Amino acid sequence: MSTESASLKNYNTFALPVNTAHLVIAEQIEMMIKAWQKAQKRQEPFLVLGEGSNMLFLENFAGTVVINELKGIEIREEQDAWYLHVGAGENWHHLVKHTIECGIPGLENLALIPGLVGSAPIQNIGAYGMELRQVCEYVDLLNLTTGEIDRMDPQRCEFGYRESVFKHEFKQGFAIVGVGFRLSKQWCPQLNYGELSKLDPQTVTPQQVYDAVCATRRTKLPDPRVMGNAGSFFKNPQVSGDVANELLTQYPSMPHYPQSDGQVKLAAGWLIDQCSLKGYQIGGAAVHRQQALVLVNTGNASSQDLVALARHVRNTVASKFDIWLEPEVRFIAATGEVDAIEVLS
């Protein structure tokens, strides 16, 4: 389905009133390729969108937006593991729920993360001590120009913290159409973070981990259908051991997570909270009162309100802690993605 001059309000979880010149709902790969060819002919920008759960549109989009609706979940059981092939247009949480209902553990820590399966590798989504890269078997990447699909193993995906090759080399002219997962039968619960640490590793079940993650996320994070938001707005910063130790002498209760490379990950939400910014508002944009890491649209926010608020939060944290937060949310201008840090600087 193709529409001229369409609203994107229902296709970005901030619910910003932005439009696109052309909107295509792609249920088949061929529709994506055709939309790409048309956009190339018109010499217009092109953007593949899932549920818009990690996007901040700065203004109207001056080209074609394709909504990825490629569906399907295939499960193959082997002796050592379950192997899944999932269409990029499947809702991420629905996949997690489906695997748990089928008695297949391994994704429970990533429950209730908003967005589609195809968006998950781009961000290398993660929560509660787990990241997508730990279960990703491959990513099927469509070359929109040639129509060929390249099955990329995890090494080629160059996964990092909220990072992958899909944000760089394959940002334009490519679309993720499917993701493969390997979920081991040797299930090992990951209970290092937050409320999960209260569970007993000897007796805990995947369902209990799933329930605990869902309960925690529901109490902390606003439902985007009720209040527009994109989940965590900023990445958790990583600092040197020396910087972390210096901060810990001032703030002994500061959450901190030592990494294998000697760096220490800090909680961006805690840093923002220490600046007394919960509830702080600019126009229709506010820092969420329950979770400082989430910026919300209170009902009538503009893109400019959210940018101004993000800039204020970033500058306030920097002046108190000398740590510059980086947005996790991707900033989209009229012709495509722009550098979020440049926009906020």
Side-chain angles (χ1 to χ4, degrees):
M1 187 188 92
S2 181
T3 315
E4 304 295 298
S5 187
S7 169
L8 292 174
K9 190 168 184 179
N10 293 333
Y11 296 106
N12 75 98
T13 58
F14 270 123
L16 292 167
V18 290
N19 295 329
T20 181
H22 310 282
L23 180 70
V24 176
I25 311 293
E27 292 162 358
Q28 284 102 27
I29 286 170
E30 294 71 34
M31 294 169 82
M32 280 188 181
I33 295 169
K34 198 176 281 183
W36 168 255
Q37 289 167 343
K38 276 188 182 173
Q40 291 296 96
K41 244 180 220 167
R42 297 189 193 115
Q43 294 187 305
E44 283 181 350
F46 183 90
L47 180 68
V48 178
L49 208 55
E51 293 178 348
S53 60
N54 203 46
M55 305 279 191
L56 172 57
F57 282 95
L58 304 177
E59 55 197 326
N60 290 336
F61 191 72
T64 299
V65 168
V66 172
I67 305 298
N68 187 337
E69 290 217 343
L70 304 172
K71 303 286 191 190
I73 301 174
E74 297 163 25
I75 300 172
R76 190 180 88 248
E77 186 176 355
E78 299 281 341
Q79 201 172 345
D80 60 336
W82 291 275
Y83 293 85
L84 281 63
H85 177 85
V86 186
E90 289 284 350
N91 175 275
W92 174 263
H93 178 65
H94 289 174
L95 169 66
V96 178
K97 189 167 181 276
H98 181 67
T99 57
I100 293 295
E101 286 169 353
C102 291
I104 301 171
L107 297 180
E108 56 284 335
N109 289 51
L110 304 178
L112 272 186
I113 292 179
L116 298 185
V117 168
S119 313
I122 299 172
Q123 281 293 102
N124 180 30
I125 59 170
Y128 300 103
M130 187 187 168
E131 289 184 328
L132 176 92
R133 62 172 151 193
Q134 293 165 244
V135 289
C136 181
E137 178 88 346
Y138 59 79
V139 174
D140 281 353
L141 188 71
L142 171 69
N143 183 322
L144 289 159
T145 306
T146 66
E148 290 173 1
I149 294 173
D150 182 7
R151 180 156 289 186
M152 298 178 62
D153 63 37
Q155 205 171 349
R156 288 178 60 210
C157 296
E158 295 176 21
F159 290 128
Y161 173 55
R162 302 294 173 272
E163 190 58 80
S164 73
V165 73
F166 308 110
K167 282 188 170 184
H168 306 285
E169 192 184 327
F170 299 115
K171 193 159 79 170
Q172 196 58 279
F174 297 87
I176 292 172
V177 294
V179 182
F181 299 89
R182 180 187 183 277
L183 301 176
S184 173
K185 289 186 175 178
Q186 296 294 310
W187 181 65
C188 182
Q190 309 230 11
L191 307 174
N192 301 335
Y193 277 68
E195 294 297 302
L196 300 188
S197 58
K198 295 175 184 172
L199 299 171
D200 182 351
Q202 301 303 316
T203 59
V204 73
T205 66
Q207 182 72 51
Q208 286 170 332
V209 177
Y210 171 85
D211 290 342
V213 169
C214 289
T216 303
R217 289 186 78 92
R218 285 194 174 110
T219 54
K220 282 188 177 178
L221 302 172
D223 184 341
R225 289 168 299 188
V226 179
M227 187 180 281
N229 73 90
S232 301
F233 195 91
F234 294 101
K235 297 177 186 177
N236 288 322
Q238 299 205 31
V239 299
S240 69
D242 290 346
V243 168
N245 288 334
E246 205 173 302
L247 284 168
L248 282 163
T249 58
Q250 288 177 268
Y251 308 95
S253 62
M254 178 183 76
H256 60 289
Y257 307 97
Q259 305 296 295
S260 55
D261 60 0
Q263 296 275 98
V264 179
K265 188 186 285 184
L266 306 181
W270 183 88
L271 296 171
I272 298 166
D273 198 9
Q274 293 303 302
C275 298
S276 304
L277 286 170
K278 277 183 179 170
Y280 186 90
Q281 192 156 344
I282 294 179
V287 179
H288 192 241
R289 291 185 183 278
Q290 267 75 51
Q291 171 52 278
L293 195 50
V294 178
L295 306 188
V296 296
N297 176 357
T298 62
N300 61 347
S302 67
S303 305
Q304 289 70 33
D305 292 343
L306 282 157
V307 168
L309 180 63
R311 185 181 291 125
H312 177 75
V313 168
R314 189 168 183 263
N315 290 346
T316 306
V317 169
S319 68
K320 186 175 176 75
F321 293 102
D322 198 24
I323 292 171
W324 288 96
L325 297 179
E326 289 185 23
E328 183 175 315
V329 171
R330 301 167 72 190
F331 285 29
I332 310 294
T335 59
E337 189 169 359
V338 292
D339 188 312
I341 292 172
E342 276 183 25
V343 173
L344 297 182
S345 295

